[in-house]
Amino acid sequence: MTQMDLFFSFSKVVCGYPISIFFIVVNEFCERFSYYGMRAVLVLYFKYFLQWDDDLATSIYHTFVALCYLTPILGAIVADSWLGKFKTIIYLSIVYAIGQVAMAVSAIHDITDSDRDGTPNNMTFHVVLSMVGLFLIALGTGGIKPCVAAFGGDQFDDHQEKQRRTFFSVFYLCINGGSLLSTIITPILRGQTCGIYSQQKCYALAFGVPAALMVVSLVVFIVGSGMYYKAKPEGNIMLSVCKCIGFAIKNRYRHRSKAYPKRKHWMDWAEEKYDRLLIAQIKMVLKVLFLYIPLPMFWTLFDQKGSRWTLQATTMDGNFGQLVIQPDQMQTFNPILILTLVPIMESVVYPLIKKCGFNFTPLKRMTVGMFLAALAFVCAGVVQLQIDKTLPIFPSTSESQLKLLNMGNNQLEVHLPNNFTILCSKHLYCRFVNGLATDLNVSTAAVNFGIIEPLTSSNYSLLKNGKHTFSLKSGSQSCEYTIKFGFGSSYTIFIPSTFTFGPNCQESVTEVEEIKPNSVHMALQIPQYFLITAGEVMFSVTGLEFSYSQAPSNMKAVLQAGWLLTVAVGNFIVLIVAEIAKLPKKWAEFFLFASLLVAVCVIFSIMAYFYTYIDPTEIEAQFSQEKDEEDEDEKDKMRKTEEHVTKRGSVKSNDSDNAFKLSKM
């Protein structure tokens, strides 16, 4: 080995770890920041930028999440059968980055704001571009999901088992760290105002920063290219499993007649073509996959914290003293609680339960986790009941709205029918009504209302909660007017005909509070976040551990794909239940989902009761031993056959010699 080879070999290891894993860890942190940051503000982007209602915003959100958990199967097949993990990560990360950029561009309202009023005039462009972006993101993030962790594990040699375990712990920490920071930062970015012609909520920035992080993630991963160990694709075990199962079903159908004897298991019908060890491994996998059938309902509830719960928070008060929490920032409680609860559960709760003599098996933990998630939705329903008491009554599809503004100096008496309703906004909106005989210019640091003509009103403008100072100008006269807004309120501010400019002008302004500020505090969501996170720790973390322990050595990826599939199915269930139920009250929908999960929890507990835990390694060893014994028996038979042939050959040789001797005689 040359001196250069020695230097290069030494440089690839730092503190006992391959230097290549540092690039992979940074790559994962940036990618998770990109994904969770974009996802944190996604449902609000649908509602407030694209102007979709709650149901459509929720449906598209869960469709996107479901796709993100379906595409890992495609990524695993491509990586194992064709491109390999490294190239799959590179190519799909490029697709991923393009999707994030498309989302950022779709949120720039100035692109189609031809009349410069702050509202896009061609909403179709923004909808199509955002849908294309979300599809590319789902393909990218899902495709690389099963590859990055496995690629990191490939960088270690067999003697580095301890370092490999540490890597996976750090890898999991990076996932939660990226999730935590992004769900704090991107809602803050969304809350900023930006725009060329008019200032609006800056969704472009909230999507742009995750897009930049995804580009950084890709660049970092490429920089480490020369240091990676890149295993060649060796074929996908999932394809082999599917082929074996397909052959067993097909062969069983061919021999469905009673003339053929039954076999112990329907997979035994594949013995004519496939190895018995492979069949035994598939039986173990199918046994676990059967337990997966009820699991999607947990994810149905869990992933609604990014949709229904975020929309619920928009109708609540986020003032925590000096700190103001945005509705989408409430999601940060999940990663914070995960990082807190996982070590507490592992080092305190589970050992304490064990000392009490209770056999708290993994399946029992998962059952409790499902029940905790159901309780979380009961809490969400109770909170929604409190919120509904404070919200205005909105007109139904068969009703209309009417607003009357008296611009005169005299009192106006109006008689209205009993079913008259006024439609107001849920959000902090403000408009000015000019009762003067001259033009009035109104502006503040965040919004310029422009020139308001006499006896007309401005459009409603969206403002942040808190104190705002408005500049009122008419000709050479001006004054300042200050008002404090509550979050979720709506105001109309009248400038009467008797208004006089000067230091005391504020006293002559009339404020009409059309909708009162949100009075139910966001802190009431903390219990439901605690319960859903505790349920996640007991259900998800334990479920992954259980799946790994019950899976054959070469089929852990198959069960991982099955686990991700339950997440996708769970998000599709949200769409199905929401569309079929069509409950007008959100609290009723929360209670419905809680009831469904409790019912599924009972079914799962019964299935878990009859489940028998196995040791896949021991079973595989038995089959290997049987195979070795069969091979040894086969060798003995061949040896005896050879000896028999040799003996017969020897007898024939002696007979020939005797015949030769006799002929000579």
Side-chain angles (χ1 to χ4, degrees), residues 145-317:
K145 192 184 295 288
C147 301
V148 179
F151 185 70
D154 290 344
Q155 308 306 307
F156 296 88
D157 292 332
D158 293 337
H159 67 278
Q160 295 178 303
E161 185 62 33
K162 181 180 178 181
Q163 289 88 340
R164 183 185 284 113
R165 286 198 302 268
T166 304
F167 161 74
F168 282 116
S169 298
V170 174
F171 190 83
Y172 183 75
L173 183 64
C174 285
I175 292 174
N176 287 280
S179 170
L180 175 60
L181 287 178
S182 63
T183 48
I184 293 174
I185 294 173
T186 52
I188 295 175
L189 299 176
R190 176 195 62 80
Q192 306 303 309
T193 54
C194 61
I196 300 174
Y197 307 121
S198 62
Q199 299 293 304
Q200 300 294 329
K201 290 294 182 182
C202 206
Y203 288 98
L205 183 61
F207 290 144
V209 170
L213 263 293
M214 190 58 224
V215 173
V216 171
S217 172
L218 176 60
V219 171
V220 168
F221 189 75
I222 293 175
V223 167
S225 175
M227 304 179 189
Y228 299 137
Y229 167 74
K230 303 165 188 172
K232 295 181 179 179
E234 298 178 354
N236 196 308
I237 187 65
M238 284 192 288
L239 291 177
S240 300
V241 170
C242 292
K243 288 180 180 179
C244 184
I245 293 175
F247 178 80
I249 295 173
K250 190 178 183 181
N251 198 32
R252 177 68 184 91
Y253 180 76
R254 287 176 179 172
H255 301 84
R256 60 187 182 277
S257 173
K258 293 183 179 180
Y260 299 98
K262 292 183 178 180
R263 302 191 182 183
K264 190 174 181 181
H265 193 279
W266 62 270
M267 275 302 303
D268 293 334
W269 288 94
E271 289 181 348
E272 284 84 344
K273 186 176 181 181
Y274 291 91
D275 184 66
R276 288 177 58 202
L277 176 59
L278 175 64
I279 295 172
Q281 291 169 332
I282 293 176
K283 288 179 183 178
M284 289 185 270
V285 169
L286 292 176
K287 190 178 179 182
V288 178
L289 289 178
F290 176 73
L291 277 179
Y292 281 3
I293 294 175
L295 303 191
M297 186 53 68
F298 173 86
W299 301 113
T300 299
L301 276 68
F302 178 78
D303 280 330
Q304 288 190 61
K305 62 183 173 54
S307 57
R308 289 299 199 205
W309 286 13
T310 300
L311 293 173
Q312 183 187 62
T314 62
T315 58
M316 304 177 76
D317 181 14

Side-chain angles (χ1 to χ4, degrees), residues 483-559:
I483 183 174
K484 186 176 182 180
F485 296 120
F487 184 77
S489 55
S490 179
Y491 293 85
T492 293
I493 301 172
F494 289 89
I495 310 298
S497 59
T498 57
F499 179 83
T500 56
F501 289 90
N504 297 323
C505 66
Q506 181 148 347
E507 297 177 0
S508 58
V509 175
T510 302
E511 304 160 2
V512 177
E513 189 179 62
E514 297 173 336
I515 290 187
K516 293 182 179 181
N518 297 341
S519 57
V520 179
H521 203 275
M522 282 187 193
L524 291 179
Q525 280 196 324
I526 295 177
Q528 65 199 57
Y529 271 99
F530 176 82
L531 288 170
I532 200 77
T533 306
E536 178 190 7
V537 172
M538 300 189 76
F539 178 86
S540 181
V541 177
T542 305
L544 289 171
E545 175 191 346
F546 167 78
S547 300
Y548 190 88
S549 67
Q550 299 295 290
S553 57
N554 63 335
M555 293 191 185
K556 299 188 185 297
V558 177
L559 280 184

Side-chain angles (χ1 to χ4, degrees), residues 411-415:
Q411 185 175 350
L412 179 66
E413 184 176 350
V414 180
H415 296 280

Side-chain angles (χ1 to χ4, degrees), residues 162 329 345 398 407:
K162 181 180 178 181
Q329 283 182 317
M345 289 286 192
S398 60
M407 306 297 291

Side-chain angles (χ1 to χ4, degrees), residues 302 361 378 405 412 541 625 652:
F302 178 78
T361 62
V378 172
L405 301 177
L412 179 66
V541 177
Q625 183 178 356
K652 287 182 179 180

